[in-house]
Amino acid sequence: MNGFEVKREDRDQISVVAVKGYLDAHTAPELEQMLQQLVDEERVHIVVNLAGLSYISSAGLGVFMGFIEDIRKKNGDIKLAEPNEKVYRVFDLLGFPVLYEIYQKEEEAIEKYRN
Amino acid sequence: MAKVTKNYQLKIPSQTDNLELIRNFVSGVAKKVGFDAEESNKIELAVDEACTNVIKHAYQHDTTKDIDVAIKIDYQKLTVIVTDRGRSFEFHEVDLPDMKQYLAELRVGGLGIYLMKTLMDEVEYHSKPGNRNEVRMVKYLLGRSGKEDDKPR
């Protein structure tokens, strides 16, 4: 079992959330808690690094959808970075690239906030 | 691919922490009978979505209940049947969401059925007498359903 891990690193006004393992109905609440905590702290410039993510289901996708509206109202964003091909395919199936900025590299997403 | 019908079965408590076991079972069988990694991933995700619906909606997180996952291999056809004895679900009344509108409205949840129908070649839901609900999903080994070419890759 590789489980799920979520780690946060703050860089100036940007928070990078790195997720690892699988994101399904069992593990989605952990990511939800993390994003809720960031919103509570008014840290709404978020980059989610998906490099370590091996699997995502609609429960995981629902977490991003649940927060994006609130975060954008606060002039923030959730930018996604470094999904592997398998995870990207699920995003693509649901049209996520239309709604979310998805970058190949975490640094590109961070730069986007700084520009 | 098997030349004769083969059956694989898993009976498992309705808990979200069992989803990983369910996925491993399903993708293991799919790969064993000849599906490539990409197709196995699709089957695994579709079954996860069906079981997540059972855990959340049919059994409403009652972990004393069981989910039955049965896989039948018949020539070029893999059929997965997910059965529960919980609340029936108004499957047919859930329209496939128009994704653009769906995303524009930022609606949460309800993506599972859309994914199941997109990932598999056939999806049916039956609510049977005796409080038994069944989601039956089919994937053809060679992607010969004619539907496959239209799907995003």
Side-chain angles (χ1 to χ4, degrees):
Chain A
M1 295 239 180
N2 59 350
F4 179 72
E5 264 180 48
V6 56
K7 280 184 188 161
R8 162 190 171 177
E9 193 188 321
D10 294 340
R11 299 191 202 173
D12 305 328
Q13 86 280 21
I14 300 159
S15 291
V16 178
V17 174
V19 292
K20 200 173 159 186
Y22 58 84
L23 191 48
D24 63 5
H26 187 60
T27 59
E30 285 182 53
L31 178 61
E32 207 164 48
Q33 268 178 19
M34 175 63 82
L35 294 180
Q36 187 60 55
Q37 193 183 330
L38 290 171
V39 170
D40 291 346
E41 292 175 26
E42 306 276 326
R43 295 193 61 90
V44 289
H45 296 100
I46 301 168
V47 174
V48 180
N49 186 321
L50 303 160
L53 198 68
S54 55
Y55 176 84
I56 191 163
S57 73
S58 72
L61 296 154
V63 176
F64 298 116
M65 292 180 73
F67 281 95
I68 193 71
E69 191 174 20
D70 191 24
I71 284 175
R72 285 191 180 150
K73 270 187 194 156
K74 296 174 192 287
N75 292 317
D77 197 17
I78 300 174
K79 300 187 196 299
L80 306 171
E82 308 192 19
N84 70 23
E85 203 187 325
K86 179 180 171 183
V87 168
Y88 184 81
R89 211 174 284 133
V90 182
F91 281 128
D92 199 34
L93 267 181
L94 293 173
F96 262 50
V98 176
L99 186 67
Y100 295 86
E101 293 174 25
I102 305 176
Y103 296 91
Q104 288 192 346
K105 289 285 162 208
E106 179 184 302
E107 286 309 315
E108 292 172 54
I110 291 172
E111 274 308 302
K112 193 77 183 174
Y113 278 120
R114 290 186 171 148
N115 288 335
Chain B
M1 188 69 177
K3 298 281 184 208
V4 291
T5 302
K6 285 190 178 170
N7 294 297
Y8 301 83
Q9 277 191 302
L10 179 71
K11 183 188 266 297
I12 193 159
S14 178
Q15 299 169 199
T16 54
D17 60 351
N18 284 332
L19 287 168
E20 190 188 15
L21 279 172
I22 294 169
R23 291 196 297 269
N24 290 343
F25 165 68
V26 171
S27 66
V29 173
K31 283 176 188 154
K32 181 182 162 72
V33 300
F35 286 92
D36 64 19
E38 188 177 339
E39 295 298 290
S40 301
N41 289 344
K42 289 181 182 176
I43 299 167
E44 169 192 75
L45 177 55
V47 175
D48 175 323
E49 298 294 344
C51 291
T52 298
N53 277 345
V54 170
I55 295 167
K56 288 187 177 176
H57 304 297
Y59 288 140
Q60 316 234 320
H61 296 280
D62 178 350
T63 57
T64 65
K65 307 288 189 189
D66 291 324
I67 306 174
D68 286 293
V69 182
I71 304 176
K72 186 175 144 193
I73 308 297
D74 193 1
Y75 297 98
Q76 303 292 301
K77 183 179 176 186
L78 177 149
T79 307
V80 190
I81 302 162
V82 175
T83 309
D84 69 75
R85 290 173 187 279
R87 287 190 183 194
S88 62
F89 184 60
E90 290 167 357
F91 198 90
H92 292 295
E93 289 171 27
V94 179
D95 291 330
L96 287 186
D98 174 327
M99 287 317 295
K100 214 172 161 185
Q101 191 191 350
Y102 196 92
L103 291 170
E105 292 172 4
L106 299 161
R107 286 168 58 191
V108 182
L111 298 174
I113 291 170
Y114 175 82
L115 274 178
M116 284 154 63
K117 291 191 172 177
T118 307
L119 296 164
M120 300 297 281
D121 292 325
E122 295 166 19
V123 179
E124 285 173 28
Y125 178 83
H126 301 285
S127 191
K128 299 195 165 182
N131 214 19
R132 204 172 114 221
N133 310 304
E134 193 179 281
V135 178
R136 180 182 287 261
M137 300 185 279
V138 172
K139 191 83 177 169
Y140 293 95
L141 185 61
L142 299 174
R144 297 282 187 241
S145 67
K147 211 177 136 191
E148 195 70 15
D149 293 340
D150 301 331
K151 289 181 190 170
R153 290 265 160 191

